[in-house]
């Protein structure tokens, strides 16, 4: 069970914000804002009937619920659970799309500790079954967003798991990933890049 | 914001179980057990590399979180939110699969009040984009499970929204749906029926 300081929503009242940030992650509140950007562009895609892609709810282990008379059930004890899959999935142009969005304040590399092993396992499984699975990485200081497909991630992740690598260098990401246009309307129009990938059949389409 | 008594997990300690059940739903604890069956068969599908289909976490509106020193963040105030999509989605044979699972103790019909309007809207949107979207309905007393595709649901739902229909008769479901084999290993092997639908191209595959 892990505490996710970067998953805070604006509705959360922090009784002690600092204590919740002890983990060695270099994306805190900013991760939230990137996630919100993706949620927003997904709403645009949905409204314009371009795609149906949603963020999954934050997984919560519900321990105690009170049922006050004549009002809504209140969860009075719950814990953040480690997500077993990625944050976003849905359908675009008949293709199953599945991805995780991560942000770093680091300017030169993306530390792979930011991604959970089971999330990567999920990404590779989806790709095996003919889905388009990827990671969106935002360098928040540089305001650069890249899309890295599962194919690209596989060898990097194998090196990480062997202990031969701790991060993806920005140069590696620039070379092997796709730059997502960000100064567009809608902002973070990642389906532009997905179009390119689908058109080039740069993923395993079905069995 | 709606209170979902049927979404209780076994870890919940009920301070007052009855009060939480005031809604006019005729599937309480049983809904949970059908959901668990689906979660279980999905685990089997995942382990046997047949499909990658997961249940989405229960959507929770987190209001207050405490960060005690040296222990996990504790949600001390939260509420169940109305789900904006279906409970299950994933990929099978390269096809995006999306569905909701509902159970009724009614022996003659399935009351449509059990399905949220935005869930049905989601099911139709998914189908429009080339996904395979459906409803799994379990008549728990009869131990019968049926799969109803979005195509089938559309006209029924339109009648329901117009006020011309309140439920699906079991006979209608038997005629227009697919019976899911339940005395199998794994139990509730719904992908058997999905195979049939994919093989017969009985859904709109891509744009």
């Amino acid at each position: 069970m892990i505490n996710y300081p970067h998953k805070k929503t604006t509705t959360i009242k922090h009784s002690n914000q600092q204590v919740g940030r002890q983990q060695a992650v270099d994306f805190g509140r900013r991760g939230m804002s990137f996630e919100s950007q993706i949620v927003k562009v997904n709403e645009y895609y949905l409204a314009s009937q371009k795609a149906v892609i949603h963020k999954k709810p934050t997984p919560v282990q519900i321990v105690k619920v009170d049922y006050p008379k004549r009002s809504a059930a209140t969860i009075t004890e719950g814990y953040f659970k480690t997500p077993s899959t990625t944050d976003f999935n849905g359908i675009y142009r008949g293709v199953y799309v599945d991805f995780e969005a991560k942000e770093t304040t680091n300017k030169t590399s993306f530390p792979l500790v930011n991604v959970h092993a089971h999330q990567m396992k999920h990404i590779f499984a989806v790709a095996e079954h003919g889905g388009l699975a990827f990671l969106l990485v935002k360098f928040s200081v540089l305001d650069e967003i890249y899309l890295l497909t599962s194919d690209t991630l596989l060898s990097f992740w194998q090196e990480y798991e062997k202990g031969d690598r701790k991060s993806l260098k920005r140069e590696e990401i620039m070379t092997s990933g796709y730059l997502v246009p960000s100064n567009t309307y809608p902002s973070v129009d990642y389906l532009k890049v997905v179009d390119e990938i689908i058109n080039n059949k740069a993923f395993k389409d079905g069995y």
Side-chain angles (χ1 to χ4, degrees), chain A residues 37 41 44-45 143 145 180-192:
Chain A
Q37 278 185 295
V41 72
Y44 170 84
Y45 292 150
D143 199 22
I145 298 161
V180 176
S182 59
N183 301 327
T184 49
Y185 179 82
S187 132
V188 199
D189 191 4
Y190 66 90
L191 288 184
K192 276 241 164 69

Side-chain angles (χ1 to χ4, degrees), chain A residues 8-200:
Chain A
K8 285 166 190 165
T9 71
T10 48
T11 53
I12 296 179
K13 296 164 200 161
H14 309 292
S15 60
N16 188 334
Q17 204 171 95
Q18 292 315 310
V19 176
R21 300 249 190 138
Q22 284 175 343
Q23 281 182 293
V25 286
D26 60 353
F27 50 100
R29 191 160 289 276
R30 285 166 184 275
M32 176 60 208
S33 89
F34 183 40
E35 202 172 87
S36 300
Q37 278 185 295
I38 309 288
V39 167
K40 212 154 188 174
V41 72
N42 285 343
E43 283 169 6
Y44 170 84
Y45 292 150
L46 185 68
S48 56
Q49 301 188 312
K50 195 173 164 74
V52 182
I53 299 165
H54 285 276
K55 187 191 170 297
K56 292 184 192 166
T58 303
V60 168
Q61 174 79 34
I62 299 160
V63 176
K64 205 173 167 187
V65 181
D66 277 335
Y67 295 96
K69 280 183 189 172
R70 274 180 286 276
S71 57
T74 308
I75 297 159
T76 54
E77 189 184 344
Y79 299 93
F80 294 100
K81 284 200 294 185
T82 306
S84 50
T85 64
T86 48
D87 266 354
F88 298 92
N89 73 356
I91 187 163
Y92 175 55
R93 290 174 59 184
V95 174
Y96 175 72
V97 167
D98 193 307
F99 63 99
E100 184 68 22
K102 293 288 185 193
E103 187 166 22
T104 181
T105 53
N106 198 311
K107 282 178 249 179
T108 55
S109 69
F110 173 72
L112 286 165
V113 70
N114 292 338
V115 191
H116 295 288
H118 36 265
Q119 291 183 319
M120 287 307 300
K121 203 178 158 188
H122 175 74
I123 281 175
F124 299 136
V126 164
E128 269 304 305
H129 286 266
L132 178 46
F134 53 88
L135 190 65
L136 284 182
V137 173
K138 180 173 181 177
F139 288 100
S140 48
V141 178
L142 308 170
D143 199 22
E144 283 177 5
I145 298 161
Y146 294 94
L147 186 154
L148 294 158
T149 63
S150 52
D151 284 354
T152 298
L153 291 166
L154 189 58
S155 59
F156 287 138
W157 189 255
Q158 283 167 341
E159 288 170 21
Y160 174 70
E161 293 221 304
K162 269 188 243 158
D164 295 343
R165 164 187 292 278
K166 293 211 160 178
S167 64
L168 301 179
K169 288 202 185 78
R170 176 168 164 258
E171 286 73 30
E172 291 173 320
I173 292 175
M174 290 170 84
T175 309
S176 59
Y178 297 78
L179 183 67
V180 176
S182 59
N183 301 327
T184 49
Y185 179 82
S187 132
V188 199
D189 191 4
Y190 66 90
L191 288 184
K192 276 241 164 69
V193 172
V194 170
D195 274 331
E196 206 179 318
I197 298 167
I198 294 177
N199 294 343
N200 295 335

